[in-house]
Amino acid sequence: NNAWESVINIEEEVSNKKSPKEVVEFSRKAFTAGKTKSLKFRKAQLKGLLKFLEECKGDIEKALYKDLRKHKQECHMCETEVVANDLRHTIMEVAKWANPQKPQKRLVNLLDGVYRYNDPYGVVLIIGAWNYPILLTLGPLVGALAAGNSIILKPSELAPATANLLAKALTKYLDKDCFQVFLGGVEETSELLKEKFDYIFFTGSTTVGRIIYQAAAKHLTPTTLELGGKSPAYIDESVDMKKAAKRILWGKLINSGQTCVAPDYVLCNKEVQDKFLQHAQKIITEFYGRDPMESPHLGKIITERHFKRLVEFINPENVAIGGKYNSSARIISPTILINVSPDDPVMTEEIFGPILPIIIIKNAEEAIHFINAREKPLALYIFAKDKSIQNLFLNNTSSGGVAINDTVTHLITENLPFGGVGESGMGSYHGKEGFETFSHQKSVLVKDLTDLTEMTLSVRYPPYSDIKISV
Ligand code: NAD
């Protein structure tokens, strides 16, 4: 019974009705008119977004199944509920966040007003990735709406059913002047990026992140880059291996490994590897049955190009578990590779599929050295019961985030900002951090006009003198 069911068909292609220039001009006009600024409007938009998630649940599931063969539970657990939780929290808190903050005053400003205002930036562009096409578009949208911006959303062309759904349906739940969806791939996005935005929020690969950053630099547009990379998982001998293996394989295999914070590879010693492998086979069978290729719980690889790239990583000589694939269905069975060298192709780029290589190291120090010799990862996973081992990694490595004895869930932990560092990105969001990301902190001083203040100010006015310097 939702508002648009009768008119929507996710199979049908949607095209942009406006040129990039027109889209941006339209958005700017809406922002300049001041429509987005009131708290009432912001809250109504946030509630509209929540309503979309609730009323269009079935169609979101259909679209995510079509694009990624995503199971309903994964849609709920990893996409819609994460956004809905952020929304509920933001609706409750936005009035408090939007209020000008009053920092502590020094003696010299005692009679003045000293404020930090949170101004919306203006026209915001959000570019999403395909792997979590709801979470990575609507997640940033929560902060951008709460902060009172006028928004253009560019979903990924590689998840077309979800992109069409957003263009056709979400636009009916939000203000049509202040929220627009612009569709397209490289060519259309390149054209769009020539326009001037007040903020760009990008989720995607490090390679494209560089292109976005360069385009933003032309207009000095502030930017958040949520990028990728290889997130390592260190397993220490002190850990409960059954739990560690289960948690690592869950994080690796949700969405068939197409998760920015999936553990990319494992670092452990030879004895730990043997124990890990003993548990891994059992866990994979528990998760996906005897033949994971037949399991409805394993997603598909997004495109043929991505599938071919992944299959090339599977050197049969290295396969300890799995290694099977079905080209027509684009499904790869959970695969663990051993005797892998750091120079093998699987270790030189982000994997982004259900393939987990194990690299043998002697101890924690060698693992830290291995991590620090590479780009800063988006996530670092430490599986260790021993606190001194946990602290060794925390104090001697740099990564976007860390989860100890779990994978992925630091991303959905309330009150923790999410973002990368170095090649894995810059800036962060979620909850209050999302609101702050899309707000410019404007410093405001309201000077007192009394004679007393004027008297204290007299020292700053010319004519200058040595006496005034010493005051
Ligand atoms: P991508 O960089 O190929 O594409 C992301 C977006 O950029 C898409 O909307 C796409 O249309 C657009 N785009 C692609 N090429 C472009 C170009 N030349 N000019 C302008 N725009 C262009 O990334 P992807 O394949 O969609 O996603 C996978 C990557 O994203 C992985 O590296 C993954 O780790 C990363 N990722 C990061 C996060 C995070 O939150 N940090 C989340 C998901 C994915």
Side-chain angles (χ1 to χ4, degrees), residues 179-426:
F179 175 77
Q180 300 173 86
V181 174
F182 187 84
L183 297 169
V186 177
E187 197 184 318
E188 294 81 359
T189 315
S190 306
E191 282 305 306
L192 187 61
L193 283 167
K194 288 182 186 159
E195 301 300 321
K196 183 180 165 84
F197 295 92
D198 299 305
Y199 203 92
I200 298 178
F201 188 105
F202 170 79
T203 304
S205 61
T206 303
T207 310
V208 179
R210 283 201 170 84
I211 296 172
I212 305 293
Y213 204 35
Q214 276 168 7
K218 283 209 180 102
H219 300 288
L220 286 181
T221 302
T223 307
T224 293
L225 300 176
E226 296 284 344
L227 310 178
K230 289 179 89 63
S231 298
Y234 171 73
I235 315 179
D236 189 66
E237 53 246 359
S238 66
V239 83
D240 173 334
M241 188 55 73
K242 190 173 169 192
K243 290 190 187 114
K246 208 168 200 169
R247 293 174 190 190
I248 290 174
L249 288 169
W250 173 75
K252 182 72 189 186
L253 298 173
I254 44 169
N255 205 25
S256 252
Q258 301 166 112
T259 302
C260 57
V261 285
D264 188 272
Y265 61 95
V266 163
L267 291 169
C268 63
N269 69 30
K270 179 77 174 60
E271 291 74 48
V272 169
Q273 171 181 284
D274 294 344
K275 279 195 216 154
F276 178 79
L277 290 174
Q278 279 166 24
H279 288 287
Q281 183 60 70
K282 261 191 257 159
I283 291 163
I284 291 168
T285 310
E286 228 174 87
F287 284 179
Y288 303 107
R290 287 207 175 283
D291 185 2
M293 308 287 289
E294 295 297 320
S295 171
H297 304 146
L298 196 63
K300 70 175 177 187
I301 304 305
I302 189 78
T303 68
E304 212 178 308
R305 174 170 64 85
H306 292 76
F307 179 82
K308 281 189 180 147
R309 186 184 69 87
L310 286 168
V311 165
E312 280 183 14
F313 287 151
I314 306 175
N315 177 352
E317 284 175 13
N318 299 126
V319 173
I321 290 174
K324 289 205 278 176
Y325 47 86
N326 174 338
S327 313
S328 57
R330 296 204 303 270
I331 293 171
I332 299 176
S333 71
T335 296
I336 301 184
L337 304 177
I338 54 172
N339 301 323
V340 175
S341 142
D343 304 323
D344 289 347
V346 74
M347 281 307 296
T348 54
E349 58 184 274
E350 183 181 4
I351 299 171
F352 228 56
I355 302 168
L356 184 68
I358 302 179
I359 297 282
I360 298 294
I361 38 85
K362 283 204 270 318
N363 50 33
E365 285 78 10
E366 198 182 317
I368 289 171
H369 181 75
F370 190 93
I371 294 163
N372 289 341
R374 287 160 177 77
E375 297 301 342
K376 292 179 183 179
L378 184 57
L380 170 64
Y381 300 117
I382 308 157
F383 284 83
K385 205 172 160 194
D386 187 338
K387 279 240 158 40
S388 66
I389 295 287
Q390 299 175 2
N391 287 332
L392 196 68
F393 279 87
L394 287 177
N395 296 331
N396 294 291
T397 59
S398 173
S399 58
V402 173
I404 296 177
N405 296 328
D406 203 6
T407 57
V408 178
T409 50
H410 62 297
L411 186 149
I412 50 163
T413 303
E414 218 161 284
N415 294 327
L416 284 187
F418 173 67
V421 59
E423 293 240 335
S424 58
M426 61 178 78

